[in-house]
Amino acid sequence: NDQSEVLRRKLEIHVKGDVVPGPILSFSSCSRLPQRLIQNIEAAGYDMPTPVQMQAIPAALSGKNLLVSADTGSGKTASFLVPVISRCANFRLQHLPNEKKKPLAMVLTPTRELCIQVEDQAKLLGKGLPFKTALVVGGDAMAGQIYRIQQGVELIVGTPGRLIDLLTKHDVELDDTMIFVLDEVDCMLQRGFRDQVMQIFRALPQPQILMYSATISPEVEKMTSSMVKDIVHVSVGKLNK
Ligand code: ADP
Ligand code: MG
């Protein structure tokens, strides 16, 4: 509607593709978020969503595949973790507690350090909710990582190489994995990572896909549209910078 358009123009939020819900002005006004998640966001000191969060959170919650570009430091991590945690926690709350807990979401990043940062933030925002995480990166024993997954987690955060290594050696049931996040997608779909990322993607049952980067090259943009159709593009900031 008009109000959303005015807001987008003011915040330099550009949306291309299907119709998506307008930007949210506060976390608490986002009706689908569990109350405990909103409390955790406030406890983390996030008084207001950043522009990318205002638009990407409701768009992701509406189930769209997203390709999002926004500057470094603009809060992209929470802009995918909030909808991921919300969808995972709501899924668990709607299912019987005795059902086997298979991973519901997966976040891939290019480095161990980034994975650790993402997992730390996920743990902080997911506190008190049915939301456990597993880190799958090199440098730590794989035995502990697979044990944790088998005990039941909602989110796996990992690097592509280590994750393929783990999936090749162990049986991980991925048929409930409904969200696939590529952080730093510009890097993740470059030669070198691309084949590994695609191999993991093909092991998932048609998940919603959320992709984030500070910049997105035309080549990577083309790659993403060959992976999935109906991608909504969200970019924040001046166009054509
Ligand atoms: P990006 O991935 O876009 O480079 P990050 O997600 O790492 O940025 O966020 C940068 C910093 O901003 C982090 O320290 C994060 O905790 C903080 N942050 C994220 N969202 C908010 C918010 N809504 N309010 C205040 N700080 C925030
Ligand atoms: Mg980031």
Side-chain angles (χ1 to χ4, degrees), residues 19 61-62 64 86 92 116 127 129 134 146 189 200 235:
V19 179
L61 286 169
S62 79
K64 301 288 182 192
S86 178
R92 288 294 187 232
I116 292 170
K127 228 185 256 173
L129 287 159
I146 189 68
L189 294 178
I200 296 166
S235 69

Side-chain angles (χ1 to χ4, degrees), residues 11-29:
L11 298 163
E12 296 188 310
I13 297 171
H14 313 280
V15 179
K16 219 168 62 186
D18 262 357
V19 179
V20 291
I24 50 164
L25 286 171
S26 66
F27 291 108
S28 56
S29 69

Side-chain angles (χ1 to χ4, degrees), residues 74-175:
S74 62
K76 293 189 289 297
T77 315
S79 82
F80 60 77
L81 286 178
V82 168
V84 162
I85 294 168
S86 178
R87 290 197 61 196
C88 289
N90 285 332
F91 180 94
R92 288 294 187 232
L93 294 169
Q94 284 157 15
H95 286 74
L96 296 171
N98 59 342
E99 274 176 45
K100 180 162 186 202
K101 291 197 173 70
K102 304 173 193 172
L104 302 177
M106 193 184 273
V107 176
L108 300 185
T109 95
T111 67
R112 177 179 197 274
E113 287 65 36
L114 270 172
C115 285
I116 292 170
Q117 286 173 25
V118 168
E119 199 213 14
D120 281 347
Q121 203 172 337
K123 285 196 277 205
L124 193 74
L125 296 176
K127 228 185 256 173
L129 287 159
F131 185 78
K132 290 202 175 70
T133 60
L135 188 64
V136 179
V137 296
D140 301 328
M142 196 183 284
Q145 297 172 353
I146 189 68
Y147 179 76
R148 197 165 162 77
I149 293 170
Q150 280 159 351
Q151 293 299 101
V153 299
E154 281 65 41
L155 173 68
I156 293 175
V157 182
T159 50
R162 180 55 168 243
L163 201 55
I164 286 179
D165 198 13
L166 179 133
L167 295 176
T168 317
K169 290 175 181 147
H170 301 274
D171 186 31
V172 180
E173 289 170 287
L174 295 173
D175 46 300

Side-chain angles (χ1 to χ4, degrees), residues 35-75:
Q35 202 50 47
R36 179 63 204 248
L37 175 54
I38 293 173
Q39 286 169 16
N40 293 342
I41 291 168
E42 283 165 3
Y46 299 178
D47 296 331
M48 257 183 71
T50 65
V52 67
Q53 292 164 359
M54 288 183 186
Q55 184 57 77
I57 291 171
L61 286 169
S62 79
K64 301 288 182 192
N65 297 313
L66 299 184
L67 177 59
V68 180
S69 66
D71 282 345
T72 302
S74 62

